[in-house]
Every structure is written in structure tokens, then in C-alpha cells.
Amino acid sequence: MNPVFLIGTLGLVAFLFWAAYQSDRALKTKKVEIKGNLLLSVPEFLFKLVLLGICFGLANSLTVERVDKYIGWPSKQPIADLVIGLVIGLVTVFAVNVISIAAIRIWGKGIYSPQIIKGMLPRNQIEWLLIIPPLFVAVAVEEMLFRALLIGGFSTVVNPWVMAVAGSIIFGVMHAPQGNLGIILVGIVGLMFGTVFILTNSLLIVIVAHFTINFLQIIRAKEDLAWYERLDDRPLLARRQPPLVDTSTEADEADAEFTAQSAEEVSDETIQSHPAVVAPLSTLSPKSTIED
């Protein structure tokens, strides 16, 4: 394997991993406040164009007869690949949305951070058009690096399925700013993309699927964020747990009343017993509700 390809690809992955780690730290410590739309940052867009060019340069450094066989580009049947990628994206975004809602309901809002998606939400119709090119470039960079180079390029020396698993783990961890839920779901989707790439040998399919998922998430973002803000902060299990009721005061009052009553009715014949009064927790616990 060409050392330029090896060092360049791994170095690029390490750099992006470091950048994602720094972003996660900055967001968690609130050292950075997101202002404006992240996708409309001109320096960011130009930087990703440079990264995309570097990825293609690394692909061309492969010492193989036909680079296209390894990186899956250009597509041999672009129309069919576009349709397949669109279908995969639509099915995946639906599944991810259902799983996300269920997970946040069960484990609470703390497993997901909406800060990144908030920073991508367009504010007017013009921005909806303007975000398409930078979003596509960002998707192309990720798929070129994690699928074409890591899986396809390294397949000359490493089993592609091994690289698919390793790449999906790195891909998921790089999305740490979205919380633990983001890491897990993105890792799973990344593994799915790797599987599709290996089986179809088409980079276009995974690019279209990835773009479809991200764009539809932005379309749904406003509605999903409103639901997220309305949701109870407590996990579902905590909301269903009956609250602890302190019955000691009630029992003490009942005992005191009984003692006073008994003192008045004491006779030489017998002293009648009186049971302590303790209300069952089940009758005092309100039904928990799940806010939609």
C-alpha cells in the first residue's frame, strides 16, 4: 500500500476525530455559543471543499490498476443508484426517528443534545436553498473518507468488513456533540452504510442515502425540537414510579386520638384495641402521564 495513502487517510481521520472531540468539549463547557447557521459558514464550506479534494487525491494515490473498483466512484448506473439511495435514506430516517423518540422517552432528555441540529435550522426560504450545497459537500466528505477510503482503499490489505466495523465506531464517536444517543445511532447507521457500500460497490448510493437522512432531519427539526422542549425532563421509568408518601404523621395523629379516647373510656372490665391507620401507597399515588 502506498504510504501516502496510508498516512494521509489515517491522519485525516485522526484530525477530524480530534476536531469533533474539541467541539464536544467546547459545547459541554459552554465555551462556544452557536450563532447563525453552521452550514452557511463560508470558511467551513471552503474547508470541507479542501477536505473533499484531499480525499480524492488520496484515492488517486492508491497503487491499483482501477481506482474506481475500490472507491465505488464514478457510478456505473447513476439513476438506479440515486433511487436506491433515496429509498434507503427514507426508510432509515423513519426508523431513526421512531427509535430516537422511544429512547428519549424511556431514558430521558439527557441522552441527546439538540444543539447541533439547532445550529443547522434555516431561518427563511432563502437559507433552505443555500444549505443544500454545503450539506451535500459535508456528506460527500464523510462518505468519501469513511466508506471509499477506509473500506474500499484499505480493502487491498484489510478485510473490508473489519474496516466497516472500525469505521462505524469512529464515525459514531465523532458525533459525540449529539449525546450518547447520537453516538449509538450514528454508529449503527454508519455500519449500515458500510454494508451497503461493500455489497453494491457504489459510493453514490451511500452519499444519496446520507444526504436524504440529514436533509429530512433538518426539515423535521422545528417540530422535533418543539416536542423535545415540551417533554418532561425525567425519564419515563422515573415518571411511572409512585411517589413516596410519608404516613408517619397520619399514624401518629390516629394513635394520639386513640389514646385520648381510650383514656376517657377506661373501665375495670376491658380496654378495647384500636388498629393503627396507614393509607396504602397505591391509593395515594396519582397516575403518571407521558407528555407528547
Side-chain angles (χ1 to χ4, degrees):
M1 175 177 285
N2 189 335
V4 173
F5 175 83
L6 176 64
I7 297 173
T9 301
L10 295 181
L12 193 54
V13 171
F15 170 75
L16 293 179
F17 187 89
W18 173 84
Y21 171 74
Q22 294 298 325
S23 298
D24 184 45
R25 282 189 59 189
L27 290 173
K28 286 181 177 179
T29 57
K30 298 183 179 179
K31 291 182 179 179
V32 175
E33 182 180 354
I34 298 176
K35 295 181 179 180
N37 194 307
L38 293 173
L39 292 172
L40 298 180
S41 168
V42 175
E44 182 82 8
F45 178 62
L46 295 176
F47 177 66
K48 287 177 181 176
L49 281 176
V50 172
L51 289 180
L52 186 60
I54 293 174
C55 287
F56 274 103
L58 290 171
N60 288 323
S61 71
L62 281 168
T63 53
V64 293
E65 291 184 3
R66 293 186 56 188
V67 174
D68 60 307
K69 281 186 60 179
Y70 293 88
I71 69 171
W73 183 271
S75 173
K76 297 179 180 178
Q77 43 182 11
I79 302 301
D81 287 352
L82 281 170
V83 174
I84 295 172
L86 182 60
V87 172
I88 292 175
L90 291 173
V91 173
T92 303
V93 78
F94 175 78
V96 167
N97 190 59
V98 171
I99 294 172
S100 298
I101 290 175
I104 294 172
R105 283 181 181 275
I106 294 173
W107 288 289
K109 296 165 68 173
I111 66 172
Y112 173 73
S113 173
Q115 294 185 67
I116 299 299
I117 195 67
K118 283 181 179 179
M120 295 182 178
L121 190 62
R123 294 167 293 185
N124 52 56
Q125 293 181 350
I126 296 178
E127 287 194 357
W128 276 106
L129 295 175
L130 293 177
I131 67 169
I132 293 177
L135 180 61
F136 181 82
V137 171
V139 167
V141 169
E142 292 182 349
E143 293 308 316
M144 187 67 188
L145 178 59
F146 285 94
R147 257 56 76 177
L149 298 185
L150 277 184
I151 297 177
F154 274 86
S155 64
T156 58
V157 292
V158 182
N159 186 299
W161 292 105
V162 173
M163 295 308 295
V165 173
S168 66
I169 294 173
I170 299 172
F171 189 60
V173 175
M174 281 179 58
H175 289 74
Q178 298 179 27
N180 292 333
L181 180 62
I183 294 174
I184 295 172
L185 288 181
V186 171
I188 294 173
V189 172
L191 182 59
M192 182 198 70
F193 286 160
T195 301
V196 171
F197 178 77
I198 293 172
L199 296 178
T200 64
N201 194 34
S202 172
L203 183 63
L204 182 59
I205 290 179
V206 290
I207 287 178
V208 172
H210 193 160
F211 179 84
T212 301
I213 293 170
N214 285 5
F215 191 67
L216 290 179
Q217 285 179 329
I218 294 175
I219 290 176
R220 286 188 51 89
K222 189 173 182 179
E223 179 183 346
D224 290 343
L225 288 171
W227 171 84
Y228 181 85
E229 295 298 331
R230 293 196 310 266
L231 189 66
D232 195 323
D233 289 337
R234 296 171 300 165
L236 180 62
L237 297 178
R239 281 179 271 158
R240 286 186 170 180
Q241 185 177 3
L244 296 177
V245 179
D246 185 6
T247 58
S248 59
T249 301
E250 184 178 352
D252 291 342
E253 291 178 354
D255 289 341
E257 180 182 351
F258 166 68
T259 302
Q261 181 180 358
S262 299
E264 294 177 358
E265 297 179 357
V266 171
S267 64
D268 294 336
E269 297 178 356
T270 182
I271 298 178
Q272 297 181 350
S273 63
H274 192 292
V277 178
V278 180
L281 292 178
S282 59
T283 62
L284 299 177
S285 304
K287 292 183 178 179
S288 63
T289 59
I290 302 175
E291 184 176 0
D292 294 324

